[in-house]
């Protein structure tokens, strides 16, 4: 594959990436929280960008609650421990509720629903749902990482006389472990972001701290949505 073909293929992947509504949402999220970090809650251009981007992102999330509603009623894989099943379903229910209520907040802020005061009351409720969802995700990822670690150690014993990295099953488990570790880090960061947005600890989690954590979480989300890299073929 020539350099031009590789570049064309990589640009094609970038186009596919940017065509995803989820990817555009996470890019806007990075802008939103980066602006929050810069403004530190003070009036000015950065705060205006923060607020306008936050409102714009809500459009990307319209009817997105259906995704987690579907996950709520989808059967879990066989062999999953009951506590992890309950935590996973709780995460789906809470995240779906957050996204559902967030639509009414958007309707109020855009003036479609005239009773803005009532819709603004739904804002903190939806954020508490997101906080609960992030906490459930953290516990689920911890549990799944524990299960993966146990199965990997068992597989390592079976492969003790060979190079474990040559084993396709081991590499797949290792990749899954890395993905879940990243998801755990993101969920933990999102808990801090939710605490900041709800102002549960205003002295410690300031708007600047919230912005910094939200920006890092957004970058992780952008990375998670990246397509597989193009592999160049050499003759």
């Amino acid at each position: 594959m020539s350099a031009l073909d590789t570049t064309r293929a990589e640009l094609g992947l970038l186009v596919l990436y940017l065509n995803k509504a989820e990817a555009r949402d996470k890019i806007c999220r990075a802008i939103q929280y980066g602006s929050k970090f810069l403004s530190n809650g003070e009036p000015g251009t950065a705060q205006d960008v923060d607020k306008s981007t936050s409102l714009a992102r809500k459009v990307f999330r319209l009817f997105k609650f259906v995704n987690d509603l579907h996950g709520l009623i989808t059967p879990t894989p066989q062999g999953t421990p009951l506590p992890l099943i309950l935590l996973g379903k709780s995460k789906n229910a809470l995240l779906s509720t957050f996204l559902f209520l967030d639509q009414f907040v958007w309707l109020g802020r855009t003036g479609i629903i005239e009773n803005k005061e009532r819709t603004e009351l739904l804002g903190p409720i939806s954020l508490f749902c997101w906080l609960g969802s992030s906490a459930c995700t953290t516990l689920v990822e911890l549990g799944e990482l524990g299960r993966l670690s146990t199965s990997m150690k068992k597989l390592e014993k079976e492969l003790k006389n060979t190079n474990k990295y040559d084993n396709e099953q081991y590499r797949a488990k290792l990749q899954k472990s890395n993905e879940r570790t990243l998801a755990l880090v993101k969920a933990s960061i999102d808990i801090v972001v939710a605490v900041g947005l709800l102002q549960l600890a205003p002295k410690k989690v300031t708007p600047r701290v919230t912005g910094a954590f939200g920006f890092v979480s957004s970058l992780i989300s952008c990375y998670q949505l990246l397509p597989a890299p193009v592999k160049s073929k050499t003759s």
Side-chain angles (χ1 to χ4, degrees):
M1 184 180 289
S2 66
L4 181 60
D5 290 335
T6 301
T7 302
R8 187 184 298 114
E10 288 176 346
L11 285 175
L13 288 175
L14 180 61
V15 170
L16 288 173
Y17 179 75
L18 294 175
N19 280 340
K20 294 179 181 178
E22 185 76 9
R24 294 197 301 273
D25 174 48
K26 298 311 178 187
I27 292 170
C28 288
R29 188 175 189 260
I31 295 171
Q32 175 193 346
Y33 283 105
S35 301
K36 186 179 289 293
F37 171 79
L38 294 174
S39 71
N40 195 26
E42 299 295 329
T45 303
Q47 189 181 69
D48 292 341
V49 172
D50 173 17
K51 291 181 178 180
S52 61
T53 310
S54 174
L55 188 62
R57 286 187 59 227
K58 296 185 187 300
V59 179
F60 289 115
R61 301 202 296 263
L62 287 175
F63 302 107
K64 192 180 174 184
F65 70 93
V66 176
N67 294 353
D68 280 278
L69 192 60
H70 180 264
L72 182 62
I73 61 176
T74 300
T76 53
Q78 289 186 349
T80 306
L82 182 59
L84 290 183
I85 293 175
L86 293 176
L87 283 169
K89 297 302 180 183
S90 298
K91 180 205 78 169
N92 291 136
L94 287 166
L95 189 55
S96 182
T97 304
F98 158 67
L99 293 168
F100 179 74
L101 294 178
D102 200 48
Q103 294 178 133
F104 291 97
V105 177
W106 174 75
L107 290 171
R109 291 180 182 176
T110 53
I112 297 174
I113 294 180
E114 294 182 0
N115 195 338
K116 185 178 179 182
E117 292 181 0
R118 182 165 294 182
T119 57
E120 284 298 318
L121 291 175
L122 296 175
I125 298 174
S126 67
L127 285 174
F128 270 113
C129 289
W130 183 48
L131 174 61
S133 171
S134 298
C136 288
T137 302
T138 301
L139 295 174
V140 167
E141 296 302 337
L142 281 172
E144 291 292 354
L145 279 169
R147 293 178 66 204
L148 265 175
S149 177
T150 301
S151 64
M152 287 176 70
K153 286 178 180 178
K154 183 179 178 181
L155 187 59
E156 284 176 359
K157 289 181 180 179
E158 297 174 1
L159 302 171
K160 60 181 179 180
N161 294 326
T162 59
N163 186 350
K164 58 187 179 183
Y165 297 106
D166 290 335
N167 184 273
E168 187 176 349
Q169 186 181 2
Y170 184 85
R171 291 200 307 270
K173 287 181 180 291
L174 183 61
Q175 182 179 354
K176 194 68 177 177
S177 177
N178 292 336
E179 290 172 356
R180 288 201 173 276
T181 300
L182 191 61
L184 172 62
V185 171
K186 181 188 177 302
S188 302
I189 292 174
D190 282 339
I191 290 175
V192 179
V193 177
V195 168
L197 294 175
L198 287 163
Q199 296 183 340
L200 299 179
K203 292 184 179 179
K204 292 184 178 180
V205 188
T206 62
R208 178 152 287 169
V209 172
T210 304
F213 275 75
F215 183 73
V216 173
S217 172
S218 302
L219 292 182
I220 293 174
S221 294
C222 290
Y223 173 78
Q224 289 172 322
L225 291 169
L226 284 174
V230 178
K231 293 182 180 179
S232 60
K233 295 180 181 179
T234 55
S235 55

